[in-house]
Amino acid sequence: MLEMLTCQHCLHGSRKKRITAIARKSPVLRKTAYHHGDLRAQLVNAVRMLVEEKGPDRFSVSEACRAAGVSTAAPYRHFRDKQEMLLAVAIEGMQRLAGRMRASAKRHPTGSTARIAATGHAYVRFATKEPGVFRLVFGLTVDHRKSDEMIAEGNRTFGVLLEEVAAYFNKPEIDADVLRRGFALWTFVHGFSFLKIDEKVDVVKMNIDIDEMIRETTERLLA
Amino acid sequence: MLEMLTCQHCLHGSRKKRITAIARKSPVLRKTAYHHGDLRAQLVNAVRMLVEEKGPDRFSVSEACRAAGVSTAAPYRHFRDKQEMLLAVAIEGMQRLAGRMRASAKRHPTGSTARIAATGHAYVRFATKEPGVFRLVFGLTVDHRKSDEMIAEGNRTFGVLLEEVAAYFNKPEIDADVLRRGFALWTFVHGFSFLKIDEKVDVVKMNIDIDEMIRETTERLLA
DNA sequence: TGTACATCAGTGAACGCGCGTTCACTGATGTAC
DNA sequence: TGTACATCAGTGAACGCGCGTTCACTGATGTAC
């Protein structure tokens, strides 16, 4: 909201001047307020919303510009190309996913299967709530392997699960067995996420309780 | 090859006449030979190859026409629109997947976990060999729910696995428990397939034996 | 504090491109006599 | 068997469209004096 107030392009006459003056006075705004406030952040936001609305492969730069209220040339002051815009959203999405998994785990005692199942749950919930971003994060729309940052974030996210698995087995580090079990668990929630967002499974119709299913599978795969 | 010989557009002069005469004489060719032989089949083939090469969301009608050597208007004699072209490939792909699963199962004794694992293996192998078609079959590029044929084929494919699970438990029909277990197994191989084709997992680097992993998981989930 | 100047984020117009689909047509094929 | 005609698969040109990216530019902001 505050950023929007500093958007010079949407204002006219005295109102424009007045608000510019306010922006000048605010040290917080000073930092980001330049022409559009922080167009980069605004664009990332627009891209995220469009990726969600249309899917990662149907997103267009032009539409993001329209959404952010700038010309189609503006993004190129902040991003090299379309790929880089998508990558920014992917990285942010991956970080958010890891955050959700950590937050969910915290609510359960360390070393419990419930704690591990909770990370899986958070994963599926993320996919369900933000299928577009989820697809972007795990699909091939952007080539993750070209971005060290994305690779690092991916490893960090997988690490959240692996640490919980290691804790469950009372292991000080992530060994081959922890990796194998963790990977199996990841595979499971990943598959469920895709089946769900691709609408290949009607959970209600199949009379399946997701919570129960994740919990049961977690226990079976850790046994 | 035979269809190609009857393609009038690529031939000229006496050669053209001679081959037309051959086509006339052949009752097999008679059936399909009309201008292009069977353009529909040729287009489906071109679409399949392009979906594989570029991905389902990057396939274009124009390119399929170029590949099939016809004008961009030609497909519209056989398909309503682009969606219908993709749907044809998706249906054919789904049938092929079910076939592979059945064939793999057959090689193992009925009621064994090996037999069930074999269907999972066939699933992953299909995804790996034809990631483009796999994506088309399980993604949202075409809206499957609008096609009764696609829905039926999907159920048939899932049915291959469910029947094996029912046989394992010595059950005459697919009850809620068989459905739940079957679904868990499907979820697992589905997740693995996507992680693999989206290049999120380097199986070699992680030192994971896919065969062993599928077999082990199958046993754990059926236990 | 006021002024002259440098910076650089965002503009608006343009580019070349490939797309999906349509249209009136053409000409090879199949058929009736 | 030969001929006249109907059918209809495929043509080629065109359509309007939105795309990603570039360009020389403008004008608000920040800074040095």
Side-chain angles (χ1 to χ4, degrees):
Chain A
M1 273 311 287
L2 280 172
E3 290 96 274
M4 286 200 68
L5 283 173
T6 67
C7 171
Q8 304 306 319
H9 304 272
C10 321
L11 306 166
H12 310 281
S14 62
R15 184 169 153 72
K16 193 170 181 174
K17 279 205 180 107
R18 188 163 50 84
I19 289 167
T20 304
I22 294 167
R24 273 225 185 105
K25 275 181 193 163
S26 159
V28 180
L29 287 174
R30 265 275 187 84
K31 223 178 177 178
T32 55
Y34 197 75
H35 288 182
H36 250 272
D38 187 359
L39 182 55
R40 199 194 132 92
Q42 263 178 261
L43 279 171
V44 168
N45 202 42
V47 173
R48 180 168 17 87
M49 292 197 309
L50 282 166
V51 160
E52 211 48 75
E53 197 186 317
K54 315 250 173 185
D57 286 309
R58 288 181 165 78
F59 147 80
S60 82
V61 175
S62 316
E63 212 162 356
C65 293
R66 261 173 263 139
V70 292
S71 75
T72 56
Y76 295 89
R77 297 280 163 204
H78 301 276
F79 304 94
R80 190 151 34 90
D81 53 17
K82 189 186 178 184
Q83 286 296 305
E84 212 174 278
M85 294 175 79
L86 286 167
L87 189 61
V89 173
I91 288 169
E92 187 252 355
M94 184 64 102
Q95 288 169 336
R96 213 138 32 81
L97 170 60
R100 301 271 178 84
M101 285 166 65
R102 273 189 217 100
S104 284
K106 264 188 199 161
R107 293 193 209 102
H108 302 270
T110 316
S112 65
T113 53
R115 194 168 160 110
I116 295 168
T119 65
H121 233 109
Y123 193 94
V124 172
R125 226 179 297 124
F126 183 86
T128 308
K129 282 196 179 174
E130 304 185 47
V133 173
F134 184 78
R135 269 181 228 285
L136 179 64
V137 166
F138 289 106
L140 281 179
T141 309
V142 288
D143 190 350
H144 299 164
R145 293 167 311 170
K146 278 184 187 157
S147 161
D148 291 340
E149 199 181 348
M150 188 63 194
I151 292 168
E153 291 299 338
N155 288 334
R156 212 165 289 153
T157 305
F158 188 25
V160 174
L161 173 60
L162 290 177
E163 273 168 35
E164 298 302 338
V165 175
Y168 174 82
F169 286 114
N170 272 315
K171 286 185 176 172
E173 59 177 15
I174 291 149
D175 62 15
D177 189 55
V178 169
L179 192 69
R180 219 179 313 120
R181 306 260 191 166
F183 179 60
L185 286 165
W186 178 24
T187 298
F188 181 79
V189 293
H190 191 71
F192 185 72
S193 297
F194 266 113
L195 284 175
K196 195 155 179 240
I197 67 179
D198 285 333
E199 295 164 28
K200 297 307 164 231
V201 49
D202 189 333
V203 179
V204 179
K205 213 172 170 183
M206 279 180 90
N207 207 23
I208 285 173
D209 184 318
I210 311 171
D211 293 37
E212 197 187 311
M213 192 187 173
I214 293 177
R215 193 166 35 75
E216 194 190 329
T217 305
T218 303
E219 276 163 19
R220 282 177 193 270
L221 292 181
L222 290 176
Chain B
M1 275 310 287
L2 280 171
E3 289 96 274
M4 286 199 68
L5 284 174
T6 65
C7 171
Q8 304 305 320
H9 304 271
C10 320
L11 306 166
H12 310 280
S14 61
R15 185 169 151 71
K16 192 169 182 174
K17 281 209 180 101
R18 186 163 52 84
I19 289 168
T20 305
I22 293 168
R24 275 229 183 100
K25 273 181 192 166
S26 160
V28 179
L29 286 175
R30 265 277 186 85
K31 224 178 178 179
T32 56
Y34 196 75
H35 288 182
H36 249 271
D38 187 359
L39 181 55
R40 199 195 131 93
Q42 265 180 258
L43 280 171
V44 167
N45 203 41
V47 172
R48 179 165 20 84
M49 292 196 309
L50 281 167
V51 160
E52 210 49 74
E53 197 186 316
K54 314 251 174 183
D57 286 309
R58 288 182 164 77
F59 146 81
S60 81
V61 175
S62 316
E63 211 161 357
C65 292
R66 261 173 263 138
V70 292
S71 75
T72 57
Y76 295 90
R77 297 281 164 207
H78 300 276
F79 304 93
R80 189 148 37 90
D81 53 19
K82 190 187 178 184
Q83 286 296 305
E84 211 174 279
M85 295 176 78
L86 285 168
L87 188 62
V89 174
I91 289 168
E92 188 252 357
M94 184 64 102
Q95 289 168 337
R96 214 139 31 81
L97 170 59
R100 301 270 179 84
M101 285 165 65
R102 274 190 216 99
S104 284
K106 264 187 198 161
R107 293 192 210 102
H108 303 268
T110 314
S112 65
T113 54
R115 193 168 160 112
I116 295 169
T119 64
H121 232 109
Y123 193 93
V124 172
R125 226 179 297 125
F126 183 86
T128 308
K129 283 197 179 171
E130 303 186 47
V133 173
F134 184 79
R135 269 180 229 285
L136 180 64
V137 166
F138 289 106
L140 281 179
T141 309
V142 288
D143 189 352
H144 298 164
R145 293 167 311 169
K146 277 184 188 159
S147 161
D148 291 340
E149 199 180 350
M150 189 63 194
I151 291 168
E153 291 299 338
N155 288 335
R156 212 165 288 154
T157 305
F158 188 24
V160 174
L161 173 59
L162 291 177
E163 273 167 35
E164 298 302 338
V165 175
Y168 173 81
F169 287 114
N170 272 315
K171 286 185 176 173
E173 59 177 17
I174 292 148
D175 62 16
D177 188 56
V178 169
L179 192 69
R180 220 180 312 121
R181 306 257 191 170
F183 179 60
L185 287 164
W186 178 23
T187 298
F188 182 79
V189 291
H190 191 71
F192 185 73
S193 297
F194 267 113
L195 284 176
K196 196 156 178 239
I197 67 179
D198 286 332
E199 296 164 26
K200 298 306 163 229
V201 51
D202 189 333
V203 179
V204 179
K205 213 172 171 185
M206 279 181 90
N207 208 23
I208 283 173
D209 184 318
I210 310 172
D211 293 38
E212 197 188 311
M213 192 187 172
I214 292 177
R215 193 167 34 75
E216 194 190 329
T217 305
T218 303
E219 277 163 19
R220 281 177 193 270
L221 292 180
L222 290 176

